[in-house]
Amino acid sequence: MQQSSLVLKAEETAKREHGRLNQTRSNGDPYWTHPQRVVQSLVNAGVTDEVVLAAAWLHDVPEDC
């Protein structure tokens, strides 16, 4: 599935904001790998709505950043 500009902007924002704070997962991976896995799970389940996928990328930004 080709990503829309909304989803790409959400991905860039999530990576930038989590990266700006140098947030990492307990295994040392960059924190943004978590929302990336959430998005991939949704895509694997057949979700194509760009607003839902953008929200998945950004779901931790308000509370963590």
Side-chain angles (χ1 to χ4, degrees):
M1 180 181 119
Q2 186 173 354
Q3 291 188 354
S4 72
S5 63
L6 176 66
V7 176
L8 288 173
K9 286 179 184 176
E11 177 182 357
E12 291 168 2
T13 300
K15 288 179 175 181
R16 180 183 65 244
E17 292 305 309
H18 288 296
R20 179 175 60 84
L21 298 175
N22 296 316
Q23 292 177 317
T24 58
R25 305 280 298 161
S26 60
N27 66 1
D29 287 346
Y31 188 83
W32 58 262
T33 61
H34 164 64
Q36 180 181 51
R37 284 192 290 271
V38 172
V39 170
Q40 190 58 57
S41 294
L42 289 169
V43 169
N44 290 346
V47 175
T48 60
D49 186 293
E50 66 182 25
V51 173
V52 173
L53 297 176
W57 268 112
L58 297 171
H59 78 272
D60 281 332
V61 170
E63 70 181 87
D64 293 343
C65 299

